[in-house]
Amino acid sequence: MIDGPAVVTVFLVYLAGVVIPGPNFVAVVHKAVAASRSEALALVAGIVLVNLFWGASAIAGVGIVFAAFPWAALIVKVLGAAYLMWFGLRLLIKSGQGVSISERPSVDGSCRQSLIQGIVTNIGNPKSMAFYAAVFSAAAPAHVSTGTFLSMLAVVVVVSLTWYGLVAIALSQPKIASAYRSRKTAIDRVCGGLILSLGVRQLVR
């Protein structure tokens, strides 16, 4: 039997957590304006896969694990923050470089790379780990039924896929992509600076 109120609670908590801008949002925005729509959606798929993993782990009790072994949470936090800072610095360093069409990999290769980037960005996102380990796991009751468990995971997939997918589709419009190309340096610097600052913020908190 599905625990309706518990699923609704998880939906509301998760919806609030997803729409708050963070590293995942910045990565989707940058990929949408800087690459093709298929690449942006591939990155979204990577983010959703990790959200599914974090959601399942939270419902299964990852918050208890991190509470019992705080060093494990610290390791994830430090590695994640380090990746975000590297990602941000990389964008800043390459912000002034143009991208030649002939230098770009094939579409299939780009989509695979984007999928991996989405996975790594979300795994390296301390905000996601903290949200699922603390807030999300607290919203999910202990010892849920199989139906409730699957319903909560469906909430994670549908909400994250809808939100990030809409962002990717909206910002990958030709006019927006054209505007990006004319302001590439400024946009890359803003995105790189935001991701770098989020990494630093997570490291020192």
Side-chain angles (χ1 to χ4, degrees):
M1 184 175 180
I2 297 176
D3 187 345
V7 174
V8 172
T9 299
V10 166
F11 167 76
L12 294 174
V13 169
Y14 186 66
L15 181 63
V18 167
V19 299
I20 297 174
N24 292 339
F25 180 81
V26 178
V28 172
V29 169
H30 184 265
K31 182 65 71 174
V33 299
S36 67
R37 178 174 295 176
S38 59
E39 290 172 87
L41 291 176
L43 184 137
V44 169
I47 290 175
V48 172
L49 285 175
V50 176
N51 282 343
L52 185 60
F53 167 76
W54 279 124
S57 299
I59 298 171
V62 71
I64 298 175
V65 174
F66 283 150
F69 304 99
W71 55 268
L74 179 61
I75 290 175
V76 174
K77 176 182 176 180
V78 171
L79 291 177
Y83 170 75
L84 291 178
M85 289 187 290
W86 172 83
F87 186 18
L89 282 172
R90 185 169 174 268
L91 274 181
L92 288 173
I93 292 171
K94 294 189 173 184
S95 61
Q97 300 177 5
V99 179
S100 171
I101 296 178
S102 62
E103 294 175 350
R104 295 195 58 180
S106 64
V107 173
D108 290 341
S110 295
C111 287
R112 284 195 295 269
Q113 291 176 8
S114 297
L115 176 68
I116 294 171
Q117 183 184 351
I119 292 173
V120 176
T121 298
N122 203 6
I123 289 179
N125 181 3
K127 174 179 173 286
S128 290
M129 184 269 290
F131 173 77
Y132 283 105
V135 181
F136 191 90
S137 59
H143 310 297
V144 297
S145 66
T146 301
T148 301
F149 178 80
L150 294 177
S151 297
M152 290 178 175
L153 293 186
V155 164
V156 171
V157 172
V158 172
V159 172
S160 58
L161 185 60
T162 301
W163 170 244
Y164 291 122
L166 287 175
V167 171
I169 291 172
L171 296 182
S172 60
Q173 299 297 326
K175 289 183 178 179
I176 295 179
S178 178
Y180 163 76
R181 285 191 291 271
S182 65
R183 300 176 178 83
K184 177 182 182 301
T185 299
I187 294 174
D188 284 2
R189 285 176 179 172
V190 170
C191 291
L194 283 173
I195 293 176
L196 176 60
S197 64
L198 287 168
V200 172
R201 181 169 175 247
Q202 291 297 335
L203 186 62
V204 300
R205 285 184 65 179

